Amino acid sequence: MLTRRHAFYAGALALAALGIGRLARPHAVNAATRSYEVTHTDAEWHKLLTPAQYEVLRQEGTERPFTSALLDEHRAGTFACAGCDLPLFSSKTKFESGTGWPSFWAPLDNAVDETEDRSFGMTRTAVSCHRCGGHLGHVFNDGPKPTGLRYCMNGVALKFAPAPAGSS
């Protein structure tokens, strides 16, 4: 017979399992074991990044939707990692996804790494910077042609560099 006590214990165990899953993310393990071209101590990252950038890039946080100035960035140029300046996405691949985060249908060559993320009781594909390992967002299979992918990126994890005048 299921009692309130059993229901309470079951709920507490489920929450604990989610919490442990969040702490033991494959992406975090990958970042700890992979060697990156750009590395800093935790204290150095704190000095180099804003609190919001640190939360996303180093702690795998997520910015609130519809808060990034880059969401409405439509000029020609390149979106780079806010942690190490590696060019990640061309403005030519940016599209309006309606999700509240800057979205792209493809990254630049050798710019990002993708790993399985099992946090929050679901399986997703996390996207990180190839040079520094900073968490950028996730990629989903509901994007436009030609790739059908949606790289849903945290704007705070990106910097925008406009293309030089006269270039396309």
Side-chain angles (χ1 to χ4, degrees), residues 25-44:
R25 294 178 305 274
H27 179 70
V29 171
N30 182 41
T33 58
R34 185 178 181 275
S35 174
Y36 291 99
E37 181 182 339
V38 173
T39 60
H40 296 289
T41 66
D42 195 52
E44 289 169 335

Side-chain angles (χ1 to χ4, degrees), residues 56 125-128 135-139 152-154:
V56 171
T125 302
V127 178
S128 61
H135 174 72
L136 303 169
H138 292 86
V139 61
C152 190
M153 302 293 98
N154 289 284

Side-chain angles (χ1 to χ4, degrees), residues 10 12 29 57 64 79 89 123 148 150 152:
V29 171
L57 286 165
R64 287 190 346 245
F79 294 84
F89 297 94
T123 301
R150 173 174 52 97
C152 190

Side-chain angles (χ1 to χ4, degrees), residues 2 26-27 33-34 59 70 73-74 83-85 90 97 120 125 127 140 146 151 154 161 163 166:
L2 182 64
H27 179 70
T33 58
R34 185 178 181 275
Q59 299 293 308
L70 295 182
E73 180 58 69
H74 301 293
C84 70
D85 294 323
S90 166
S97 67
F120 301 113
T125 302
V127 178
F140 303 95
Y151 285 82
N154 289 284

